[in-house]
Amino acid sequence: MSGAPFRIAVLASGAGSNLQAILDTLHEGPEGVVVAAVASDKPDARALERAQAVGLPTASFPLADHPDRAARDAALADWVAGHDVRLVVLAGYMALLTPAFLQRFPQAIVNVHPALLPAFPGLDAVGQALAHGVKVFGVTVHFVDEGVDTGPIILQRALELPHARTREDVLGELHAVEHELLPAAIRLIARGAVTLDPADPRRVRLEP
Ligand code: GRF
């Protein structure tokens, strides 16, 4: 690829398998995407170890180290912006970002959610779906707005699991879908193929 690298930051609270998928399939690859920084709200997140293992800058911003969420997110936003990124990727980041954080990165924050939104937003989406008895599960990658998993949808993929009974039945299969769909969305954004329809900002246009 020609031109400047497309620098992204990843925020993650947990195991970081989605971060790993980004590192394995996109980072420093031919599309020019570079993971420039990885941050967490949890100092012991395995995601931070995965980033450090490939020499990336990391930082953690636990709420307990700051007077309140606004101050925590201001520090987080300063750190992320200091790495000169064009996209912030929430890959299992479990804290709700403040409106002030969102305003620092307009239309440049994406999240991966383990359900077919608008069904089952928020915590334990797979548990919610199982309790509802669904036969079709899925993954959504969407822009982040001020609601909980309510932003414009970029990519979705459904997965039929009519016999699933437990979270374990579902999560392994959904993770495999996430590990393709999140890098795919980032790749499209880096290529400039993702725009919001000015006539209907809920609608995300994807160039073929
Ligand atoms: C994923 O299932 C994602 O959809 C949800 O949190 C989980 C993170 O998993 N938001 P990992 O930390 O990337 O392994």
Side-chain angles (χ1 to χ4, degrees):
M1 116 133 207
S2 58
F6 189 86
R7 293 165 63 84
I8 69 172
V10 178
L11 307 187
S13 303
S17 70
N18 280 285
L19 167 65
Q20 193 67 54
I22 293 165
L23 293 173
D24 292 346
T25 64
L26 271 185
H27 178 56
E28 294 183 339
E31 292 103 338
V33 175
V34 168
V35 180
V38 176
S40 183
D41 57 329
K42 302 265 188 280
D44 58 352
R46 169 101 174 84
L48 295 175
E49 291 172 27
R50 293 180 192 266
Q52 288 155 6
V54 291
L56 296 179
T58 63
S60 62
F61 296 84
L63 193 50
D65 287 359
H66 301 271
D68 54 25
R69 277 182 63 225
R72 188 269 297 279
D73 278 14
L76 174 60
D78 285 345
W79 189 82
V80 168
H83 288 86
D84 191 25
V85 300
R86 291 163 66 185
L87 183 70
V88 178
V89 177
L90 309 188
Y93 186 68
M94 301 309 286
L96 205 57
L97 292 164
T98 56
F101 185 99
L102 303 183
Q103 283 155 21
R104 293 280 296 271
F105 306 96
Q107 290 170 27
I109 309 175
V110 298
N111 180 46
V112 60
H113 184 74
L116 292 174
L117 293 170
F120 313 123
L123 293 175
D124 192 19
V126 171
Q128 293 182 55
L130 282 165
H132 204 84
V134 304
K135 308 287 189 223
V136 180
F137 296 79
V139 171
T140 303
V141 181
H142 63 93
F143 284 113
V144 174
D145 66 8
E146 293 188 14
V148 176
D149 301 321
T150 52
I153 290 168
I154 303 167
L155 291 178
Q156 289 187 302
R157 191 181 299 168
L159 187 63
E160 289 190 35
L161 296 171
H163 308 296
R165 291 285 177 275
T166 68
R167 285 178 181 77
E168 292 66 40
D169 290 342
V170 179
L171 280 170
E173 306 230 28
L174 277 192
H175 269 131
V177 175
E178 291 183 340
H179 297 166
E180 286 183 22
L181 214 62
L182 183 57
I186 297 167
R187 197 176 284 122
L188 286 170
I189 292 167
R191 213 201 285 157
V194 177
T195 48
L196 289 180
D197 184 343
D200 178 3
R202 269 231 59 92
R203 192 167 300 279
V204 173
R205 291 193 300 209
L206 305 176
E207 277 168 33

